[in-house]
Amino acid sequence: QVQLVESGGGLVQPGGSLRLSCTASGFTFSAYAMNWYRQAPGKEREFVATITSAGISTNYADSISGRFTISRDNAKNTVYLQMKSLKPEDTAVYYCNTRRGMRRDYWGQGTQVTVSS
């Protein structure tokens, strides 16, 4: 069974940095693109970043503005989200995602990121 487990969230001050991790199991990790989404209180879940299966290509939401970097280590079945210059509006639950076709999505349990002074 596909399993995605996020970690690395926590409380950080504005301007600080965090690195999130998502460790995958139950599928051939190196064959699939991986994505990060986030959901802030009272808001819809939004796309954050994606990375292709070999890590050659990445894309980000416009709102990220170069502050986040997605990467992956296929030998460790892990995808990362390095976040810097964090803002209070980055506060959200961050979810790891992998998609199969246009219908089936797999999600992790989420990890809370809180940016506050």
Side-chain angles (χ1 to χ4, degrees):
Q1 188 173 40
V2 171
Q3 187 173 21
L4 305 172
V5 180
E6 301 97 334
S7 62
L11 175 64
V12 64
Q13 293 185 342
S17 299
L18 283 173
R19 189 176 75 158
L20 307 183
S21 299
C22 171
T23 299
S25 61
F27 66 101
T28 304
F29 180 78
S30 61
Y32 293 94
M34 298 297 298
N35 314 293
W36 286 98
Y37 285 75
R38 68 185 182 186
Q39 188 165 23
K43 299 180 69 176
E44 298 289 329
R45 189 170 298 187
E46 67 172 345
F47 168 78
V48 174
T50 188
I51 186 166
T52 55
S53 60
I56 295 172
S57 182
T58 60
N59 272 297
Y60 301 90
D62 290 342
S63 61
I64 300 305
S65 300
R67 298 179 298 116
F68 293 4
T69 302
I70 188 171
S71 62
R72 67 192 296 160
D73 186 341
N74 285 347
K76 297 181 178 179
N77 283 8
T78 301
V79 62
Y80 305 95
L81 186 68
Q82 179 68 56
M83 306 183 294
K84 62 182 181 181
S85 301
L86 284 161
K87 305 174 181 179
E89 50 263 46
D90 295 318
T91 295
V93 178
Y94 284 72
Y95 296 93
C96 182
N97 161 270
T98 186
R99 187 162 289 120
R100 303 290 179 267
M102 299 300 294
R103 292 186 178 182
R104 184 182 290 269
D105 285 271
Y106 297 97
W107 300 91
Q109 83 290 346
T111 186
Q112 176 71 49
V113 173
T114 302
V115 185
S116 177
S117 59

